[in-house]
Amino acid sequence: MGLQFRVQSAYVLAMGQFAVTERAAARIAEIAAAEGNQLALRVSVLAGGCSGFQYKFELDKDVQPDDLVIERANAKVLVDPSSLDLLAGSELDFTDALMGSYFAVKNPNATSSCGCGTSFSIE
């Protein structure tokens, strides 16, 4: 089953795509099911962090009119247009390793990132 994009504005059409891996979708669906309601994972980019920008992941039940909505394998991911500018061409993944479990963004636009992997810079 491929990605399904529900485009809610012409602005989103002009932006690059943001992908969600099967592992990330499975973990989002698992978290939402445990919460007992229809939650989505909102991925956003904020100014700050040790490299200039930082990723923020939070559960959200409210879809904004200009959000990019990605639905895959019973999971929903939301990205606002401002964040999508910095996430275009990126991929959300989930890692479950001995050192810990976490969501990570593979961002081809990032020119550098910090050791923790949650902040990055773009030239």
Side-chain angles (χ1 to χ4, degrees):
M1 179 170 165
L3 291 178
Q4 300 174 13
F5 293 92
R6 187 176 80 214
V7 178
Q8 297 179 340
S9 72
Y11 178 76
V12 174
L13 284 173
M15 305 305 298
Q17 294 183 357
F18 180 70
V20 177
T21 67
E22 196 172 312
R23 284 187 307 239
R27 181 64 180 136
I28 294 165
E30 184 179 317
I31 292 168
E35 293 292 322
N37 47 28
Q38 297 297 319
L39 293 174
L41 181 70
R42 180 170 294 282
V43 179
S44 54
V45 177
L46 306 173
C50 51
S51 295
F53 295 102
Q54 61 187 3
Y55 300 112
K56 181 177 180 185
F57 305 103
E58 65 183 333
L59 294 175
D60 196 345
K61 62 178 176 161
D62 299 319
V63 177
Q64 301 304 313
D66 57 352
D67 280 342
L68 170 68
V69 179
I70 302 166
E71 294 178 306
R72 180 174 187 185
N74 298 320
K76 187 183 291 187
V77 176
L78 309 174
V79 182
D80 65 273
S82 297
S83 296
L84 191 57
D85 281 339
L86 299 167
L87 293 170
S90 298
E91 179 181 66
L92 177 68
D93 196 12
F94 180 75
T95 299
D96 189 8
L98 195 55
M99 297 299 288
S101 301
Y102 54 91
F103 287 102
V105 176
K106 296 176 184 171
N107 190 340
N109 305 307
T111 55
S112 66
S113 61
C114 66
C116 66
T118 60
S119 73
F120 66 100
S121 64
I122 294 179
E123 291 181 5

